[in-house]
Amino acid sequence: MKKSLFNLILGTFTAVVLFTSCLGDGNNEFGSDNVFAYITTHEKTGRKVAALSQAIYISSPTIDGLESGKCYLMSYRLSSDNLSSNGIYENATITGVSKSITPTMSIVGPVTIEDTFNPSDFIPYYGRSDSFVGNNWGFLYTTAKLKENDTPRAYFFYDADRQYEMVDGVRKDVEKNQIIIDVRFNYVPGVDGGSVLKQQILSVGNLSQIRQEYKNSDNFEFGSGTYVNVVIKFRYNQLQSDNTTVKTDVYVGSWTSAPYNFTYYKDTES
């Protein structure tokens, strides 16, 4: 993903659902731009649909032509009158769709991939706490050392033996319903090389394996409620402003404000 995509990605932060009234026929139309979409099979109907970050399913001939299991940034318009009894908005008009983004699968166990580059920042710009979009999370990060035709990847690890932080030189273990996910960065060199650029990169990680494994850990507990939020911190190695030094174990997230979570429901979790 190159600089031109960053402007598109920024739309996901500020995408506003547009509600309009279709003049003359009374239909209620709405839509949104640059929404995170996961192409999947609808459980009840077996149809190919786009599961959107807004927790709705949409279908269209354009979506039929997209690859299942991939993620996209998608702009669409549709009518609320086209909501079927199966919960799918039919005949959506797709006004824009990005190149496909292949999710990298998460890994349970110690970190086995070394960084071949380090980003200067790392932002989980999109992630649903439930599994509506297949546990796919979008991450935005900046690199200044890759060539324009290189293909970067982010990899995600849950190491049960490294669930702690070092705070002022003292080890602090995570508490109940807290998890640390380690992130490593690698890339595939481009065939044509190209120039080294400062780039904003979008990667998608599928965190389903980590989500499932954590539920079986000693740190997980439902308590007396019908659901529980497991708070996430991401840990990575950050390139510093001198473009040479790498600071290890930089954390993204907070145990108190808890911006990133896995939500588990008693009535759906086996």
Side-chain angles (χ1 to χ4, degrees):
M1 303 294 171
K2 305 299 186 289
K3 284 185 176 179
S4 59
L5 179 59
F6 183 49
N7 293 328
L8 178 63
I9 294 168
L10 283 178
T12 62
F13 290 94
T14 57
V16 177
V17 178
L18 305 176
F19 294 92
T20 62
S21 178
C22 186
L23 298 177
D25 58 14
N27 291 338
N28 292 318
E29 292 190 346
F30 65 97
S32 193
D33 295 326
N34 302 329
V35 176
F36 190 87
Y38 170 59
I39 307 303
T40 186
T41 300
H42 190 256
E43 185 175 354
K44 293 182 179 179
T45 65
R47 295 178 55 193
K48 183 183 284 188
V49 295
L52 304 185
S53 56
Q54 299 161 327
I56 62 173
Y57 294 111
I58 65 175
S59 67
S60 79
T62 300
I63 291 169
D64 289 339
L66 300 179
E67 188 173 351
S68 294
K70 297 293 182 71
C71 296
Y72 299 82
L73 297 180
M74 185 176 293
S75 301
Y76 70 91
R77 299 292 181 269
L78 52 81
S79 171
S80 59
D81 292 342
N82 288 344
L83 178 62
S84 71
S85 59
N86 291 311
I88 302 173
Y89 284 94
E90 310 278 0
N91 301 317
T93 299
I94 308 302
T95 58
V97 61
S98 70
K99 291 183 179 180
S100 65
I101 309 165
T102 303
T104 56
M105 298 302 294
S106 55
I107 300 167
V108 174
V111 173
T112 56
I113 295 175
E114 295 299 323
D115 290 324
T116 56
F117 73 93
N118 299 100
S120 58
D121 55 28
F122 176 79
I123 304 169
Y125 85 90
Y126 168 76
R128 283 189 64 88
S129 62
D130 59 21
S131 56
F132 189 84
V133 290
N135 292 301
N136 292 299
W137 288 51
F139 299 89
L140 184 67
Y141 50 94
T142 304
T143 174
K145 292 195 171 184
L146 297 187
K147 295 180 179 180
E148 55 185 327
N149 293 323
D150 293 339
T151 303
R153 292 281 187 269
Y155 297 87
F156 303 86
F157 296 84
Y158 167 54
D159 184 354
D161 294 328
R162 198 163 178 253
Q163 293 298 297
Y164 60 85
E165 300 176 74
M166 299 302 296
V167 180
D168 296 328
V170 178
R171 171 171 166 161
K172 180 174 176 55
D173 291 342
V174 298
E175 299 178 0
K176 292 288 187 180
N177 297 332
Q178 295 179 346
I179 183 174
I180 296 172
I181 297 176
D182 286 291
V183 190
R184 292 295 181 267
F185 301 89
N186 214 305
Y187 74 96
V188 177
V191 175
D192 299 326
S195 303
V196 174
L197 297 174
K198 183 175 182 179
Q199 303 174 64
Q200 304 289 340
I201 309 295
L202 172 65
S203 286
V204 174
N206 185 294
L207 305 186
S208 56
Q209 192 169 352
I210 292 177
R211 179 187 176 94
Q212 178 64 28
E213 183 67 21
Y214 183 82
K215 186 167 64 70
N216 300 321
S217 75
D218 292 337
N219 275 352
F220 177 81
E221 64 179 11
F222 265 120
S224 59
T226 58
Y227 72 93
V228 65
N229 287 323
V230 171
V231 184
I232 304 169
K233 276 190 177 183
F234 296 92
R235 179 168 55 199
Y236 76 107
N237 301 322
Q238 183 188 61
L239 182 68
Q240 300 299 286
S241 58
D242 62 7
N243 214 30
T244 301
T245 307
V246 174
K247 181 179 180 181
T248 59
D249 294 348
V250 172
Y251 292 85
V252 177
S254 167
W255 300 135
T256 52
S257 61
Y260 313 118
N261 300 273
F262 290 141
T263 301
Y264 298 83
Y265 297 91
K266 274 189 176 179
D267 58 348
T268 58
E269 301 289 340
S270 57

